[in-house]
Every structure is written in structure tokens, then in C-alpha cells.
């Protein structure tokens, strides 16, 4: 037994100090776990038959005195064999294409740069899929370091996921794979090792200490203004995680431009207060103070003066102004530029990270083990002309599972809609209570914000908070359901599994997060009827549909958006950072009391949190939901991109810190794009043009104001004077039924029914006494026509610009195309020369062997060699 005091605690090698630890399996030996012992014995024996080398650390050597650790090393022959099987690309020649040209004024970006050895940890090579039969074709200096640790752990996991734990004579082929052994408790954990502690470089010269470099230059918050070391992230964690951080960083960079324009639009609203004539009219005692408004609910709401909404009118102007229209159009173009430039960035990464020929069909080699063990027959693949395992499914079985899965999704979406209806009912019921409580302005006694609290605001804020809590609860419940029904479908590949889960989760999250915003934007205040003929929820209930403030519903949509979006971001960051830290702090509490020399590298990593195979899925989902908030409803809140930018600056570093310090090292995985999320982003981008056009037309008061100014304002000076009076219709109080009329004592003291005989309400209807009383005026139809015309014009203009921009910007940069062609040409040329040299050597050996019987060999032309050998 080796004394642990003699070993470096950061050792990533076997006891001999030469063989690298590629993977760790841990388990606790139960006294009554004979079946588990038998499984482990068979599994580890089969791993050794597969060529892996194992070394076990006894429980007496572990910190807790009860955990065994099985260290796994992959020798060269096994690495070479599986690198060939998995078509892993390796270098065969140094890249001879000149580097990128210098960027003008490059010195300006110096503070944001990282050292070159961090940004480019490896030289640039031309690469080709590994071939075990042509080892001398590749640039192999040292077989032990030729494959980086991320490739080594990927190969080991490929073997672990397919190795059986039953005896050879057993017929039970289901007993296969590390995942099942983890699920049934045979092993407690399986993970590759970090190469050092994150806060200190390893003292072992053979250890790269890349984890320490990542923490030092990337994961610390005070590096938030620095570029990300994407090549080092890819080398350490694999391409799949590298692509995520590349996308997140690019999205954050692009948000900067949207945030600046949004801030300018907000400041425009702030600095044009003095031009806001309609708010001045609402707030003035002569106009707003003399306009008596109809009750906003039945019985418990009284009459009120228009100037009581003075504050909300001023607040609304900050977001509901001409800048809103400009910003909505700008965001439609911005989202196209973001997606098109990301395609170019992604194409460059595909080339730099050897993913150009990475087709998902290649990943058929990496079928999900859960699929493989269910396969019962073989079928000829029409492409490869090889027999492959397939899952026998009857049409009834397939249709039944699909129907069950989607019926479950529809059921849960219906549950969300039911909850939203419940929140709407809450708003309607509670508004009346708030209106009754606040009729004498008791909130004015509250310091600072007391005068700002109105029944509308109180109802909106409390309803938004309740809605947010419901959203988070439903999320937790639905995640499990979505994973369960996706598992039940038994997808063939990991990519297919993620795509199916992505669609189900996004559909649910879309309805869950956005339904309340859609209600406020497109339904609230649109179907209220008029005094004397109100519309009620479900028609038969006593809950009267909500009306908008005279300032409009846009400010309420802004409130809803801020609470849900900001609440989600704050909660998400707490969940991502605080929870893993607390769990790790609690899990390693015993180890902290021991000398560091006794706390080995595998024990340190064992005490960290496991990074699940769906970990990145949740990261993407969080960002795509945020992307929906800043595009679908951005016309109501120009500061949304700024909020998203601030969140993402923190998000990048929180995710980096979490990966580097709080999680075990994930198994490296390949991915050449962001997958199904790209199509979802495209769909959201197109849909956002429609939603913003409708928000400007129907939720904002922009179109009614413009129609008034150009068609109905008195005089020829295009003034907004008189707009408020023009936008309010008149109702004769005597027309209220007993069900609608306020109860005695609900109306304020200044109201005298013998003097005040009419009240006003938001609409364009003829006054009482007119031959068409209470029907819509011609101005109403003019405004409706203008709204529809605006929607059509805005959509067509934005879509035309979007498609023109998409057409103008090629998806793959010309430079990348040239490099790809150069690499393919070199591979062909080098392979040809390689084969010719081998053929010459074979012929010379044959001539030597047959020197006693000389034979004349014809000259073999270059063309013949190429056709015969290649």
C-alpha cells in the first residue's frame, strides 16, 4: 500500500507516476450488496478484456474510510483503435495559411485581450480522421500526450457506456453500460478528473493545470470585460461546451448594441416629458380634474377623477412614444443580424475546431445505450450497406407512444392556461377590493412610493408576483414529466433525444413564461364592452373584464415583463451559483478538517457536484427564454436588452465559475452547432416582428394619437391639444343598472349625483341623445384601419429588410471556404504521396527478396497508383 503522504494530492497518475488516470469509478461496499459486488466484478473484468487498465484505491485510503475508487487508464492501442472507430481528427501537417490580417486600431482592444498562450493553447494544424493503419502519416511526437485528456475521457466513456456486466454465457443483453450501474447503485459516481486544483497550479510538471488557467483568466468575475479563451475551453471541456460559451459570448456582445439603442429610446422618452401634452391634460386640474370617469368595477368601485392617474400617465410616456416604433423596427433588424453573424461565427469555429465534416450521421456510431439494449433485430442500412441494430416497433405501438407523449404535453399546457385564467380571475376580484380600500388614498401615508400606489398598480404587481411563483412551480414539475415522456419514446441518438426534449420543453416554457404577457398585451382592455353593457369573464360570472388605464395598458405590460424577466434572471443566478456552492460546502465539510496531503485529486472531485448530460440543455433554455423576452415584447420595454446584457455579463462568469470550481469535469462531447435551438431562435425572431407590430398598434396609444394629430386636431398646427377629451366617450349615469351602479358610500365625497349626470370612459362612441348613441364613431374605424395598415406596413418593411440582410451576408466566410478547400486538397495530396512511398518500399522489399530470380516490373504511373491504392 502506498503512503498517501508520499503522493502529490494533485496526482492524476497511477501509483507508478506514469500511466494517466482517464476516468474514476467510485462505490461504497455494502455489507448486504452481494449482487452489486458480482456486477462490479464482472464489469471490471470486462473492462480489462476491452483493454483498459484498472487500479483500485482501498476504502482505508479514502477520506471517509468507506469509499473505493477505481482508477482507469487507457493504453495507446485502445486509444488508437477507438480514435479510428470514432473518426477523431488529428494533426498531420502544420497550417501554412497566413494568419488573420491585423484589425485596424487593434491597440484599442488590448485591455480586453488575454495572453496568446491562453487564447491559443495549441499550434494550428491541418487535420485528418485518425487511421490506425497509417500511424506514421500523423504528427505523433509522444503517444502518451498525442490525444488530449478530453479525447481520452470521451473514448473511455464510449467504452464504459457499452461494456456489459453479465457473464459471457448469459442471455440478458440488457445488463450493459455504466449508466445502468449508476442508476441501480452499483457505482456511486463515474467521472474524469480535473487536472489540478482551480486556485493553484499543479506541482506535477506532467500535469497541464488547464483548470487553474481557466479559473485565473476566465472564471473570476473581475475578468468580465476580457474575451473568453474559447480554444482552451474546447480543449478542456470538449466542443459541445465550447460552442455554448461561444454562442453565449457572441449573444452578449450583440446585446450591447441593442442595449445602447434601447437606452437612447428610453432617454428620449425621459427628456421629452415637456412635449407630453396629453399627460399635462390628464394632470391639470382644469381638464383632468374636471373629467369624471365611470367606475372600473361593479358596486365596490366608485366614480373617480381622471387626474388620479397622473403618475401612471407620465410613467407610460417613458415607454410609449415615437422612439418605441423606431426601436421595434430596429430590433426586428438586429435579431436578423445577430442570427446571420452567428452563423458566420459558427462556421469559423467549425473549421478551427475540426468540425467541418462532422455530420450527425457519423454519430450513429454513438447510438444511445438505452436504445441499443432495446434492439432485437438487424437491418441493412441503405447508405452504408452494413447490417445495423434496429428497434422493432409496431405501428400501433409507435402511434400510441406519440399520442401519449403529445397528449401529456397538451395536458400540461392546458394546466398553464388554467392557471393563467385563475390569475386573471384573481386580478378581477382583487381589483375591486383594492379600489374599495384605496378610495380615500390611505397609501399616501407610505413614504416615497405611497402616492404612486394605485389600485391598478397594486393589482398588477401582486398578480405578476403570484404568476411568477406559479411559473417556477410548474417548471419544476414539468421538467420531470418531459424527461419521462422523452425516455419513453426511446430516441436513437443523443442528438435525437436532445431535439425531442428541446421541442417539448420549449413549447411548455413558451406558454408558461409568455402567456401572462400575451394576456396583458393583447386581451386586457380589448373586450370590456361599455358602461351599461359590460362584458363579463365567461359571460355568466360576476367578474367584469379589466379595463386599461387612461394612460394605456403598455405600462402594465412593462410591469409584467420586468417582474417575470428580472425575477427569472435573479432566481436563475441564485439557483445556478448558490445551490451548488452550498451542496459542495456541506459535502466537503469533513475533508476540510484533514491535512491537504490526505485529500487526493479523485476525492476532491468526488465531493463536487455531478454535471448531468442535460446540464447544457437548461443553460440554453434559460438564454432562449430570455431572448424571447427581449424580442417578443421589446416594444413595451426598451430597457429589456440592457437588463439582459447586465444579466449575461454575470451569467458568463457564473457559468464559468460553476464549471471550473463547483462541478466535476464533464465527459467531453462533440457538437458542430447549437442544434435545435438555432431553429427555435429563427422562429422566435420571425414571430417577434408580428408581436411588436401588434403591441405598437393595439397595446400602445401611438396610432390613436397620430390619427388625432393628423386628422382630428383643431386648427392646422398638428397639435395634440384636446386629445384626452377626444379619446373619452360620454355615458349617462342614469343608464347604469343596479348591478353596475356603485353602492352607497363607495363614491368619493365630492361626487354629487344631482349635479354630475355623466361619466367618461375610454372608447370612441356616440354620446347619449345621438341617433346612434353608444355605437362606434367613424373615428373608431379610422383608427382601426390605421392600426391594421401599420401592422401590414411594419411587417412587410421589417421582413423585406430581414430577408435582404440574410441574403447579403453569406453563412460561411470566404476565408473559411478557402481554408477548407486547402485542407481537403492537402489531405488528398499527402495521402497520395504516402501511399506511393509505401508502395515503393513494398516493391523494393520484394525486389530484395527475389534478387535470385530477377523479374522486370513495369513502371507504375502516378495515375495508376492513385486509382489502385486510393
Amino acid at each position: 500500500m502506498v503512503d498517501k503522504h508520499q503522493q502529490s494530492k494533485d496526482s492524476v497518475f497511477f501509483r507508478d507516476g506514469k500511466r494517466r488516470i482517464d476516468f474514476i469509478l467510485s462505490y461504497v461496499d455494502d455489507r448486504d450488496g452481494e449482487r452489486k459486488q458480482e456486477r462490479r466484478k464482472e464489469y471490471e473484468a470486462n473492462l480489462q478484456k476491452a483493454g483498459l487498465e484498472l487500479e483500485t484505491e482501498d476504502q482505508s485510503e479514502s477520506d471517509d474510510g468507506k469509499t473505493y475508487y477505481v482508477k482507469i487508464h487507457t493504453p495507446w492501442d485502445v486509444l488508437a483503435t477507438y480514435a479510428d472507430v470514432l473518426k477523431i481528427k488529428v494533426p498531420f501537417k502544420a497550417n501554412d495559411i497566413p494568419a488573420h490580417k491585423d484589425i485596424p486600431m487593434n491597440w484599442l482592444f488590448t485591455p480586453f485581450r488575454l495572453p496568446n498562450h491562453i487564447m491559443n493553447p495549441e499550434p494550428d494544424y491541418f487535420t485528418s480522421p485518425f487511421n490506425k493503419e497509417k500511424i506514421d502519416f500523423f504528427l505523433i511526437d509522444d503517444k502518451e500526450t498525442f490525444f488530449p485528456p478530453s479525447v481520452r475521457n470521451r473514448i473511455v466513456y464510449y467504452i464504459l457506456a457499452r461494456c456489459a456486466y453479465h457473464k459471457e454465457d448469459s442471455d440478458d443483453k440488457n445488463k450493459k453500460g455504466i449508466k445502468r450501474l449508476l442508476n441501480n447503485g452499483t457505482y456511486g459516481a463515474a467521472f474524469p478528473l480535473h487536472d489540478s486544483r482551480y486556485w493553484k497550479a499543479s506541482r506535477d510538471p506532467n500535469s497541464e493545470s488547464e483548470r487553474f488557467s481557466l479559473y485565473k483568466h476566465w472564471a473570476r468575475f473581475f475578468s468580465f470585460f476580457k474575451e473568453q479563451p474559447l480554444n482552451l475551453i474546447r480543449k478542456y471541456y470538449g466542443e459541445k461546451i465550447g460552442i455554448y460559451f461561444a454562442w453565449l459570448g457572441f449573444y452578449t456582445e450583440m446585446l450591447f448594441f441593442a442595449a445602447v439603442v434601447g437606452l437612447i429610446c428610453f432617454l428620449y422618452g425621459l427628456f421629452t416629458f415637456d412635449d407630453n401634452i396629453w399627460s399635462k391634460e390628464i394632470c391639470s386640474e382644469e381638464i383632468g380634474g374636471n373629467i369624471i370617469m365611470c367606475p372600473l368595477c361593479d358596486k365596490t368601485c366608485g366614480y373617480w377623477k381622471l387626474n388620479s392617474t397622473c403618475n401612471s400617465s407620465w410613467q407610460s410616456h417613458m415607454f410609449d412614444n415615437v422612439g418605441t416604433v423606431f426601436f421595434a423596427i430596429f430590433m426586428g433588424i438586429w435579431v436578423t443580424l445577430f442570427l446571420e453573424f452567428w452563423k458566420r461565427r459558427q462556421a469559423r469555429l467549425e473549421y478551427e475546431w475540426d468540425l467541418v465534416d462532422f455530420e450527425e450521421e457519423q454519430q450513429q456510431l454513438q447510438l444511445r445505450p438505452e436504445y441499443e439494449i432495446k434492439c432485437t433485430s438487424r437491418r441493412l442500412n441503405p447508405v452504408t450497406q452494413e447490417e445495423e441494430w434496429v428497434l422493432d416497433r409496431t405501428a400501433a405501438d409507435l402511434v400510441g407512444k406519440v399520442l401519449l407523449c403529445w397528449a401529456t404535453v397538451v395536458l400540461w399546457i392546458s394546466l398553464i392556461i388554467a392557471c393563467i385564467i385563475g390569475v386573471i380571475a384573481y386580478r378581477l376580484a382583487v381589483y375591486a377590493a383594492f379600489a374599495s380600500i384605496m378610495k380615500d388614498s390611505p397609501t399616501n401615508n407610505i413614504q416615497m412610493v405611497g402616492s404612486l400606489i394605485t389600485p391598478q398598480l397594486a393589482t398588477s404587481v401582486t398578480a405578476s408576483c403570484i404568476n411568477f411563483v406559479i411559473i417556477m412551480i410548474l417548471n419544476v414539475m414539468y421538467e420531470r414529466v418531459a424527461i419521462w415522456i422523452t425516455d419513453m419514446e426511446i430516441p436513437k441518438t443523443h442528438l435525437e433525444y436532445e431535439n425531442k426534449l428541446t421541442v417539448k420543453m420549449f413549447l411548455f416554457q413558451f406558454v408558461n413564461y409568455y402567456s401572462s404577457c400575451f394576456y396583458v398585451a393583447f386581451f386586457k382592455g380589448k373586450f370590456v364592452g361599455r358602461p351599461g353593457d359590460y362584458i363579463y369573464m365567461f359571460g355568466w360570472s360576476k367578474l367584469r373584464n379589466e379595463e386599461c388605464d387612461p394612460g394605456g395598458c403598455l405600462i402594465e405590460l412593462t410591469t409584467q415583463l420586468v417582474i417575470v424577466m428580472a425575477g427569472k434572471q435573479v432566481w436563475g443566478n441564485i439557483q445556478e451559483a448558490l445551490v451548488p456552492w452550498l451542496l459542495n460546502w456541506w459535502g466537503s465539510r469533513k475533508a476540510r478538517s484533514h491535512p491537504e496531503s490526505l485529500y487526493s485529486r479523485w476525492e476532491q472531485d468526488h465531493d463536487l457536484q455531478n454535471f448531468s448530460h442535460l446540464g447544457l440543455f437548461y443553460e440554453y433554455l434559460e438564454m432562449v427564454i430570455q431572448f424571447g423576452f427581449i424580442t417578443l415584447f421589446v416594444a413595451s420595454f426598451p430597457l429589456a436588452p440592457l437588463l439582459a446584457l447586465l444579466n449575461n455579463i454575470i451569467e458568463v462568469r457564473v457559468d464559468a465559475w460553476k464549471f471550473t470550481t463547483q462541478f466535476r469535469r464533464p465527459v467531453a462531447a462533440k457538437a458542430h452547432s447549437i442544434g435545435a435551438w438555432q431553429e427555435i431562435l429563427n422562429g422566435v425572431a420571425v414571430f417577434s416582428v408580428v408581436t411588436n407590430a401588434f403591441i405598437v398598434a393595439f397595446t400602445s396609444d401611438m396610432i390613436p394619437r397620430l390619427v388625432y394629430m393628423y386628422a382630428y386636431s383643431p386648427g392646422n398646427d398638428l397639435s395634440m391639444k384636446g386629445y384626452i377629451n377626444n379619446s373619452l366617450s360620454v355615458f349617462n349615469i342614469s343608464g347604469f343598472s343596479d348591478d353596475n351602479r356603485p353602492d352607497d358610500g363607495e363614491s368619493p365625497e365630492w361626487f354629487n349625483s344631482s349635479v354630475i349626470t355623466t361619466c367618461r370612459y375610454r372608447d370612441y362612441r356616440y354620446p347619449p341623445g345621438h341617433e346612434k348613441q353608444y355605437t362606434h364613431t367613424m373615428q373608431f374605424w379610422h383608427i382601426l384601419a390605421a392600426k391594421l395598415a401599420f401592422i401590414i406596413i411594419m411587417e412587410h418593411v421589417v421582413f423585406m429588410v430581414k430577408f435582404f440582410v440574410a441574403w447579403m451576408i453569406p453563412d460561411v466566410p470566404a476565408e473559411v471556404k478557402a481554408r477548407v478547400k486547402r485542407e481537403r486538397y492537402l489531405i488528398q495530396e499527402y495521402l497520395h504521396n504516402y501511399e506511393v512511398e509505401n508502395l515503393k518500399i513494398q516493391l523494393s522489399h520484394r525486389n530484395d527478396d527475389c534478387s535470385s530470380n530477377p523479374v522486370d516490373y513495369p513502371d507504375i504511373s502516378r495515375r495508376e497508383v492513385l486509382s489502385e491504392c486510393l
Side-chain angles (χ1 to χ4, degrees):
M1 192 173 295
V2 178
D3 183 2
K4 291 181 75 175
H5 287 280
Q6 301 300 317
Q7 286 186 307
S8 166
K9 66 177 178 177
D10 272 329
S11 174
V12 292
F13 294 92
F14 274 22
R15 295 190 191 105
D16 58 17
K18 297 178 181 179
R19 290 175 293 171
R20 188 182 191 98
I21 301 171
D22 296 316
F23 227 85
I24 292 288
L25 304 178
S26 71
Y27 63 91
V28 175
D29 199 2
D30 302 328
R31 294 178 181 177
D32 54 349
E34 291 183 7
R35 292 185 63 187
K36 292 180 182 178
Q37 287 181 7
E38 185 64 27
R39 288 190 206 117
R40 283 194 293 267
K41 181 180 176 182
E42 291 297 330
Y43 187 65
E44 290 171 19
N46 289 335
L47 288 178
Q48 288 175 319
K49 289 178 184 176
L52 300 181
E53 296 176 2
L54 311 183
E55 185 177 83
T56 303
E57 289 287 327
D58 192 78
Q59 62 181 359
S60 60
E61 294 290 318
S62 65
D63 177 68
D64 59 7
K66 57 184 180 181
T67 305
Y68 290 86
Y69 295 94
V70 180
K71 297 178 283 188
I72 300 175
H73 170 75
T74 321
W76 168 256
D77 287 343
V78 178
L79 287 171
T81 300
Y82 283 93
D84 196 344
V85 168
L86 298 175
K87 308 297 181 191
I88 290 171
K89 285 191 172 185
V90 293
F92 70 90
K93 181 185 183 301
N95 192 336
D96 59 359
I97 298 178
H100 305 300
K101 295 178 181 178
D102 290 336
I103 302 171
M105 302 183 74
N106 193 37
W107 57 272
L108 286 174
F109 302 97
T110 303
F112 308 104
R113 303 286 188 209
L114 288 175
N116 188 58
H117 72 279
I118 298 297
M119 289 301 296
N120 301 295
E122 294 178 309
D124 194 9
Y125 292 108
F126 289 121
T127 59
S128 176
F130 186 79
N131 188 330
K132 192 179 178 183
E133 304 302 320
K134 298 183 175 68
I135 286 187
D136 51 340
F137 175 73
F138 303 102
L139 299 177
I140 303 176
D141 294 328
D142 184 351
K143 290 183 177 180
E144 292 301 317
T145 59
F146 180 66
F147 293 109
S150 58
V151 173
R152 296 174 71 103
N153 71 54
R154 181 179 157 216
I155 289 173
V156 175
Y157 189 76
Y158 182 85
I159 298 170
L160 292 176
R162 285 154 180 78
C163 188
Y165 55 89
H166 57 75
K167 294 182 179 179
E168 291 184 0
D169 55 353
S170 173
D171 294 328
D172 190 356
K173 63 173 288 187
N174 284 349
K175 294 183 176 181
K176 182 185 289 186
I178 187 63
K179 192 171 181 180
R180 289 174 66 90
L181 291 171
L182 290 170
N183 289 340
N184 61 32
T186 303
Y187 288 102
F191 53 92
L193 284 180
H194 283 296
D195 61 3
S196 69
R197 289 168 290 172
Y198 68 84
W199 67 90
K200 187 177 181 182
S202 174
R203 287 177 293 182
D204 190 334
N206 294 320
S207 180
E208 298 87 353
S209 296
E210 288 173 348
R211 184 192 188 192
F212 168 70
S213 297
L214 284 170
Y215 177 73
K216 180 180 177 183
H217 296 283
W218 177 51
R220 293 194 294 190
F221 179 73
F222 292 107
S223 301
F224 72 89
F225 61 93
K226 296 280 189 180
E227 60 186 337
Q228 295 189 86
L230 294 176
N231 289 324
L232 185 58
I233 297 168
R234 172 247 181 167
K235 184 186 176 191
Y236 193 74
Y237 289 114
E239 289 80 2
K240 193 171 185 178
I241 290 175
I243 282 281
Y244 164 72
F245 279 104
W247 177 81
L248 180 57
F250 184 79
Y251 171 45
T252 304
E253 289 170 17
M254 290 295 289
L255 273 175
F256 173 78
F257 303 103
V260 169
V261 177
L263 183 60
I264 292 171
C265 290
F266 174 75
L267 293 175
Y268 170 81
L270 205 60
F271 292 133
T272 54
F273 261 14
D274 292 339
D275 302 330
N276 185 5
I277 295 172
W278 53 92
S279 290
K280 289 180 179 178
E281 290 185 351
I282 290 175
C283 295
S284 81
E285 283 294 329
E286 293 77 19
I287 301 175
N290 289 321
I291 293 178
I292 310 303
M293 301 296 293
C294 299
L296 291 171
C297 62
D298 295 339
K299 292 186 172 295
T300 55
C301 294
Y303 298 95
W304 51 286
K305 290 183 178 180
L306 181 60
N307 64 356
S308 65
T309 61
C310 177
N311 286 324
S312 67
S313 175
W314 285 112
Q315 294 161 12
S316 181
H317 175 72
M318 288 190 289
F319 306 107
D320 191 359
N321 53 65
V322 178
T324 299
V325 181
F326 167 76
F327 191 58
I329 295 172
F330 168 81
M331 286 302 292
I333 299 168
W334 173 87
V335 76
T336 305
L337 290 171
F338 163 62
L339 293 172
E340 290 302 316
F341 282 126
W342 165 246
K343 288 178 187 175
R344 290 172 63 83
R345 182 81 177 92
Q346 188 170 264
R348 189 178 295 281
L349 286 175
E350 281 184 33
Y351 168 73
E352 292 175 355
W353 292 356
D354 300 324
L355 300 168
V356 172
D357 297 321
F358 176 80
E359 296 296 334
E360 302 307 337
E361 287 73 24
Q362 276 190 4
Q363 299 311 297
Q364 302 302 320
L365 295 166
Q366 298 186 40
L367 299 176
R368 294 178 68 240
E370 295 86 349
Y371 174 86
E372 287 182 310
I373 62 176
K374 298 286 185 181
C375 294
T376 53
S377 60
R378 298 175 75 88
R379 189 181 301 161
L380 186 69
N381 186 313
V383 178
T384 63
Q385 291 296 305
E386 295 178 359
E387 294 284 328
E388 63 178 13
W389 286 103
V390 292
L391 184 62
D392 281 335
R393 288 175 171 171
T394 63
D397 177 52
L398 192 61
V399 171
K401 283 190 174 179
V402 169
L403 287 177
L404 177 62
C405 291
W406 285 105
T408 308
V409 174
V410 171
L411 175 68
W412 276 84
I413 289 176
S414 303
L415 180 62
I416 300 171
I417 295 171
C419 290
I420 294 299
I421 292 171
V423 172
I424 293 170
Y426 163 85
R427 299 169 75 107
L428 302 180
V430 168
Y431 177 79
F434 278 133
S436 179
I437 293 169
M438 296 181 183
K439 66 177 183 290
D440 297 322
S441 301
T443 56
N444 287 339
N445 299 325
I446 302 174
Q447 290 185 358
M448 298 292 289
V449 297
S451 61
L452 302 177
I453 299 176
T454 62
Q456 291 93 336
L457 182 65
T459 303
S460 180
V461 170
T462 55
S464 298
C465 292
I466 291 170
N467 185 59
F468 176 70
V469 172
I470 291 172
I471 285 172
M472 302 315 292
I473 293 172
L474 287 176
N475 268 353
V476 173
M477 295 167 65
Y478 180 75
E479 280 175 14
R480 299 180 181 181
V481 175
I483 292 170
W484 172 69
I485 58 180
T486 307
D487 286 340
M488 195 168 61
E489 290 182 84
I490 319 176
K492 188 175 183 179
T493 64
H494 291 291
L495 180 81
E496 188 180 338
Y497 181 91
E498 286 191 12
N499 287 348
K500 285 177 179 289
L501 184 62
T502 297
V503 172
K504 292 182 184 69
M505 282 294 289
F506 182 75
L507 277 177
F508 176 84
Q509 299 272 20
F510 185 91
V511 179
N512 198 15
Y513 278 107
Y514 304 142
S515 53
S516 58
C517 292
F518 273 105
Y519 164 72
V520 175
F522 305 122
F523 295 97
K524 184 182 175 184
K526 308 298 185 294
F527 310 99
V528 295
R530 61 170 179 82
D533 187 21
Y534 288 118
I535 297 174
Y536 291 82
M537 191 175 180
F538 305 124
W540 46 264
S541 71
K542 293 184 178 181
L543 298 174
R544 198 172 103 193
N545 286 350
E546 285 183 285
E547 295 183 44
C548 291
D549 279 343
C553 269
L554 198 74
I555 189 67
E556 188 167 338
L557 177 59
T558 304
T559 304
Q560 179 78 26
L561 189 65
V562 170
I563 288 176
V564 176
M565 181 181 172
K568 182 187 183 306
Q569 291 183 164
V570 170
W571 175 252
N573 282 324
I574 290 173
Q575 206 173 19
E576 286 184 20
L578 195 60
V579 173
W581 181 81
L582 287 173
L583 291 172
N584 289 336
W585 177 84
W586 181 255
S588 62
R589 63 193 186 283
K590 292 181 181 178
R592 289 195 295 272
S593 63
H594 292 292
E596 286 190 340
S597 58
L598 296 178
Y599 197 28
S600 64
R601 159 87 357 247
W602 44 90
E603 288 172 295
Q604 292 176 50
D605 285 7
H606 182 264
D607 285 340
L608 298 177
Q609 295 302 299
N610 181 49
F611 186 76
S612 86
H613 69 287
L614 291 176
L616 271 189
F617 169 82
Y618 295 117
E619 301 293 346
Y620 275 120
L621 183 63
E622 178 187 3
M623 287 295 103
V624 171
I625 292 296
Q626 182 205 79
F627 180 80
F629 279 124
I630 69 159
T631 53
L632 293 173
F633 307 103
V634 76
S636 68
F637 187 45
L639 292 180
L642 181 61
L643 277 184
L645 174 65
L646 296 175
N647 174 78
N648 287 9
I649 289 172
I650 298 170
E651 178 79 21
V652 171
R653 303 303 158 178
V654 166
D655 284 351
W657 173 81
K658 186 175 64 178
F659 271 91
T660 311
T661 68
Q662 302 303 306
F663 282 116
R664 297 170 187 156
R665 187 173 183 171
V667 177
K670 274 185 169 290
H672 75 307
S673 69
I674 60 174
W677 298 110
Q678 181 80 38
E679 295 306 316
I680 288 174
L681 291 173
N682 287 331
V684 171
V686 172
F687 192 44
S688 68
V689 177
V690 180
T691 56
N692 283 306
F694 272 85
I695 287 172
V696 173
F698 286 100
T699 311
S700 160
D701 281 339
M702 180 64 57
I703 305 299
R705 288 187 207 128
L706 292 174
V707 170
Y708 174 80
M709 185 169 70
Y710 286 104
Y712 290 91
S713 64
N716 298 316
D717 58 350
L718 298 181
S719 170
M720 289 300 295
K721 289 181 179 178
Y723 168 71
I724 290 298
N725 189 57
N726 174 267
S727 65
L728 297 174
S729 297
V730 180
F731 180 74
N732 195 325
I733 290 174
S734 61
F736 276 126
S737 66
D738 291 339
D739 291 333
N740 300 141
R741 187 176 289 112
D743 290 336
D744 294 337
E746 291 297 339
S747 292
E749 295 177 0
W750 50 259
F751 181 79
N752 186 340
S753 59
S754 61
V755 177
I756 301 171
T757 58
T758 60
C759 63
R760 309 293 292 273
Y761 60 98
R762 275 185 58 127
D763 210 340
Y764 296 90
R765 293 177 184 267
Y766 290 110
H770 193 278
E771 59 180 351
K772 296 180 180 178
Q773 71 171 8
Y774 302 140
T775 60
H776 285 121
T777 63
M778 187 55 67
Q779 187 176 353
F780 170 84
W781 300 109
H782 285 166
I783 291 171
L784 181 60
K787 288 179 175 180
L788 297 176
F790 172 82
I791 290 170
I792 293 169
I793 293 170
M794 178 178 166
E795 285 182 1
H796 279 71
V797 168
V798 175
F799 280 135
M800 283 176 63
V801 174
K802 278 170 66 71
F803 291 131
F804 178 73
V805 168
W807 174 75
M808 283 286 292
I809 302 174
D811 291 349
V812 182
E815 175 203 0
V816 172
K817 287 181 180 177
R819 286 171 173 258
V820 170
K821 289 178 181 177
R822 169 73 175 156
E823 186 165 307
R824 286 174 177 165
Y825 165 77
L826 282 175
I827 290 173
Q828 289 183 346
E829 184 182 43
Y830 269 62
L831 275 174
H832 170 267
N833 294 338
Y834 175 82
E835 293 291 353
V836 169
E837 290 300 320
N838 277 354
L839 186 58
K840 286 180 180 178
I841 293 170
Q842 289 175 16
L843 290 175
S844 65
H845 285 324
R846 193 181 300 176
N847 283 335
D848 292 341
D849 293 340
C850 302
S851 56
S852 56
N853 299 312
V855 179
D856 290 331
Y857 290 100
D859 290 337
I860 300 177
S861 69
R862 183 183 181 94
R863 185 183 300 275
E864 289 171 340
V865 170
L866 184 64
S867 63
E868 286 181 20
C869 297
L870 300 182

